[in-house]
Amino acid sequence: MDQSIHTIMAEVSNVKNSQFYADVINGLTNHPKRLSSKYFYDAKGDKIFQELMSCEEYYPTNCELEIFSQKTAELAQAIAGDGGPFDLIELGAGDAMKSTYLLRYLLEQNTDFNYLPIDISENVIAYLNNTLPLTLPGLNVTGLNGEYFDMLKKAATLSTRRKVVMFLGSNVGNMPVTEAIGFIKQLNSHLSPGDLLLIGIDLKKAPKTVLAAYNDKEGITKRFNLNLLERINRELNGDFDLDQFDHYATYDPETGACKSYLVSLSDQTVHIGDESISFAKDEYIYMEISQKFTIAQTEQMARQAGFTPVKELLDSKQWFMDAVWVA
Ligand code: AVI
């Protein structure tokens, strides 16, 4: 009996000491309330994101897939340079579906390269380490499980080859612009002159197209956002009533900021561990930014972070860009 009380107390203290707990409580006691979209991706969130990527309105994945499948030779030429050996490092590799087109092409050209996918998910890295050598025979793959910058440091201890870092999917858009520039600067500090960054960026386009992608008819984006409340309930002993929150998305064509919110449908109090958080009816939680850029803005961002843009590849609708920047 005593032991189980100790176990429960240890669990409670683990929860309280976790970064997730600290970020959630800080965010929800802020004005306005906010939660970080980096916590969207638990196992259920990963599944919902997969659904989103194949939903009709969510265009970024298909646009980038088109670039990787239709402009593979151009992409390969832009990163392989003079044919010298290099390490191709992918941040947040996921299932590596888009990169597989590039990897296959590079192998067919007998390019001398190693592929180092980095992902925070242990499952993703185990999957890539096991499956890629089967689907792409001859590929040298070393999966690295952990935070981006820790794993970039580790990658530097494994080889001294030229580095090509891929950061796809417009993940850079999930940071406010100044934070994104700081992130890219930090990335640059892990590279040497001549190393490359291949970055996927969602471009500004018809406002209705952007908004529909983050406000899909089936409500997948709504479930994606609500899943974070469910995760808080499950992992941090919370009691959010999911039916008491609605999803609301906005897009400002002037700034290019697409933002998601969860709006409280009533006056209510939510408990997370022993914290109580009050919500007024119509009060919102700011959940995510998905920033859209003009090409000129991306070039300015590259320069502010110490890179020089060298190549820009767009899909046929000109909605998405994969850019190559040199450090
Ligand atoms: C992962 N990230 C680039 C996606 C985006 O488009 O901002 C996440 C997402 N949020 C809602 N739909 C998709």
Side-chain angles (χ1 to χ4, degrees):
M1 181 72 174
D2 256 355
Q3 204 185 5
S4 67
I5 287 170
H6 284 128
T7 313
I8 290 164
M9 282 169 65
E11 272 170 18
V12 168
S13 115
N14 274 345
V15 163
K16 286 192 124 181
N17 290 329
S18 77
Q19 189 61 48
F20 180 32
Y21 178 80
D23 288 348
V24 165
I25 299 300
N26 272 338
L28 294 180
T29 48
N30 234 22
H31 301 286
K33 292 182 169 62
R34 61 153 307 145
L35 288 169
S36 169
S37 61
K38 76 175 179 188
Y39 292 117
F40 280 2
Y41 303 90
D42 64 346
K44 187 167 172 195
D46 283 346
K47 276 204 187 122
I48 305 175
F49 188 52
Q50 290 289 338
E51 271 183 71
L52 248 178
M53 286 194 292
S54 49
C55 103
E56 205 189 314
E57 297 101 322
Y58 190 72
Y59 61 82
T61 309
N62 284 339
C63 291
E64 194 169 39
L65 199 57
E66 184 196 309
I67 297 170
F68 270 73
S69 62
Q70 307 297 312
K71 297 194 172 173
T72 331
E74 267 184 90
L75 260 181
Q77 208 190 348
I79 64 164
D82 61 5
F86 63 94
D87 284 340
L88 184 57
I89 302 171
E90 180 164 7
L91 306 183
D95 61 6
M97 205 227 289
K98 289 171 268 194
S99 346
T100 297
Y101 287 96
L102 181 60
L103 300 174
R104 180 170 294 117
Y105 185 87
L106 291 170
L107 286 171
E108 283 166 5
Q109 302 299 308
N110 295 316
T111 314
D112 185 0
F113 76 105
N114 298 317
Y115 178 55
L116 295 99
I118 295 178
D119 207 285
I120 193 73
S121 159
E122 214 176 304
N123 289 338
V124 161
I125 293 302
Y127 171 82
L128 295 176
N129 277 337
N130 292 333
T131 58
L132 286 180
L134 302 175
T135 49
L136 298 170
L139 180 71
N140 291 317
V141 51
T142 307
L144 299 172
N145 171 220
E147 298 276 347
Y148 294 161
F149 293 120
D150 293 341
M151 292 305 108
L152 276 175
K153 265 194 213 145
K154 188 161 176 191
T157 66
L158 300 177
S159 109
T160 55
R161 291 172 161 218
R162 183 169 70 89
K163 290 189 182 64
V164 179
V165 174
M166 293 199 288
F167 190 43
L168 307 182
S170 201
N171 285 318
V172 69
N174 293 134
M175 296 173 236
V177 177
T178 43
E179 200 182 300
I181 294 168
F183 175 86
I184 301 166
K185 259 191 197 158
Q186 200 179 342
L187 194 54
N188 197 337
S189 73
H190 289 264
L191 303 180
S192 306
D195 287 347
L196 299 177
L197 174 62
L198 168 53
I199 185 164
I201 300 177
D202 198 11
L203 299 175
K204 281 190 174 182
K205 58 187 66 59
K208 281 185 182 168
T209 305
V210 175
L211 191 57
Y214 295 86
N215 195 27
D216 60 290
K217 288 192 294 283
E218 270 182 83
I220 307 174
T221 314
K222 177 176 174 174
R223 277 197 283 125
F224 190 48
N225 279 263
L226 284 174
N227 177 57
L228 179 47
L229 304 190
E230 206 176 314
R231 180 175 183 189
I232 294 170
N233 285 352
R234 200 172 45 246
E235 292 183 26
L236 303 181
N237 192 23
D239 64 0
F240 276 104
D241 178 351
L242 271 51
D243 292 334
Q244 288 305 309
F245 288 88
D246 197 10
H247 170 249
Y248 178 71
T250 65
Y251 176 61
D252 177 354
E254 249 180 276
T255 61
C258 182
K259 293 183 177 176
S260 284
Y261 302 90
L262 286 175
V263 181
S264 175
L265 295 177
S266 58
D267 290 335
Q268 54 181 321
T269 301
V270 172
H271 304 96
I272 301 169
D274 44 25
E275 294 281 341
S276 300
I277 316 273
S278 299
F279 289 85
K281 182 175 181 297
D282 300 331
E283 189 180 353
Y284 61 87
I285 313 173
Y286 169 33
M287 302 295 284
E288 183 178 50
I289 182 166
S290 298
Q291 181 69 38
K292 312 304 170 196
F293 300 86
T294 62
I295 295 179
Q297 280 172 330
T298 69
E299 291 169 352
Q300 193 188 8
M301 187 159 70
R303 293 204 170 86
Q304 283 173 312
F307 286 95
T308 306
V310 287
K311 182 89 186 168
E312 288 163 346
L313 293 167
L314 276 70
D315 64 299
S316 54
K317 294 196 194 97
Q318 320 258 294
W319 284 0
F320 198 94
M321 176 171 76
D322 281 296
V324 179
W325 298 346
V326 63

